[in-house]
Amino acid sequence: LPSSSQLLAGNSPNGPQFFLDTDAVIQNMKEAIERVKRPNVLLVGSSGAGKSSIINSVFGNNLAKAGAGKPITQHFMRFAPKEQPICIYDSKGLEHGKSEEFISETKKFIKEQTNPKLKVEDHLHVIWFVVNLATSRFQEFDAHLCREVFSDIPIVFLLNKSDLVESSVIDAIKSEIESLKLSRCYGIFPVSAQPKMDLSQVPDCCPECGSEKLLIDKKKLTYSCDSKHEFAIPPPESGLENVIVATTKALPTWAAEAFVAAQKVSIIAKVDTGKEIIGSHIKKVKVVWNRERVKEEFIDMTFRLGRLWDFFECDRDYNDNDNNNNNN
């Protein structure tokens, strides 16, 4: 963490004021982020299930780009960008014709990642099991993996491509998974990593002038008329916000904070975590009040908030549907 010498003190009629030596603090924060403990998330799913799209939607467009991962075994890749506090293990697409080979190697991988001799930060912390709803299948092979191989690890199911199927298909797959009665299942969520724009949100004419000549900008998620009146189109729902909440609950406390910092789906999760961080440091300085302690807590809080809000990547975009909600 930044040292207390980088916090410059001064006085005012209202009491002591503190000013950061910003350049030094930023440099120390960058170095500290590279050393931070990362939660380990394993993605499992068949070829074409959309695992890479989900990774990129949640953590950023470049995390799962070709060549970015490091092969760990024949079936697993590791993605751990030093600028983000997250480690993703991505399984090679499950091919049912090679089920015995995959199960054997996966059992070995899980055993290694849950070895009691490992530090807790090196354990596998949660599994995202991605189901391709477009194929309308959750086979016995999948069920066997969940019952026999993944039973001791928290698991979240992502029913991907939910916008392409009827609700009856979603309900049927959910029922199949629920019938497994997995004790460490933290949720089964319909999601769409690449949801389609809902054009029903665009009116027949401009709300301002009544013009029926409307131009839709799919990239900006706006529509405008020939009189240059421009309006936002509500972003399509991905369902990934529910996955963020469930995963946060499944993770150890230290890992949950890092996970919320790494994800880009939910601003609300960041706001709530930020409030918890601030509250925890306020409690500490209320118990013991002295200038040195205030400086230390302020520096620690600044680091945690800076990491949480991507302090060094201010141009990042978020996809939370509530990003216009000012209540927080």
Side-chain angles (χ1 to χ4, degrees), residues 129 138-148 180 182:
F129 198 114
F138 185 77
Q139 298 191 1
E140 178 55 34
F141 171 68
D142 303 310
H144 177 78
L145 272 175
C146 296
R147 285 194 307 260
E148 306 299 330
L180 300 177
L182 301 171

Side-chain angles (χ1 to χ4, degrees), residues 52 56 61-70 77 79:
S52 293
N56 290 334
N61 291 331
N62 293 322
L63 197 148
K65 66 183 179 181
K70 177 183 177 182
M77 297 279 288
F79 298 87

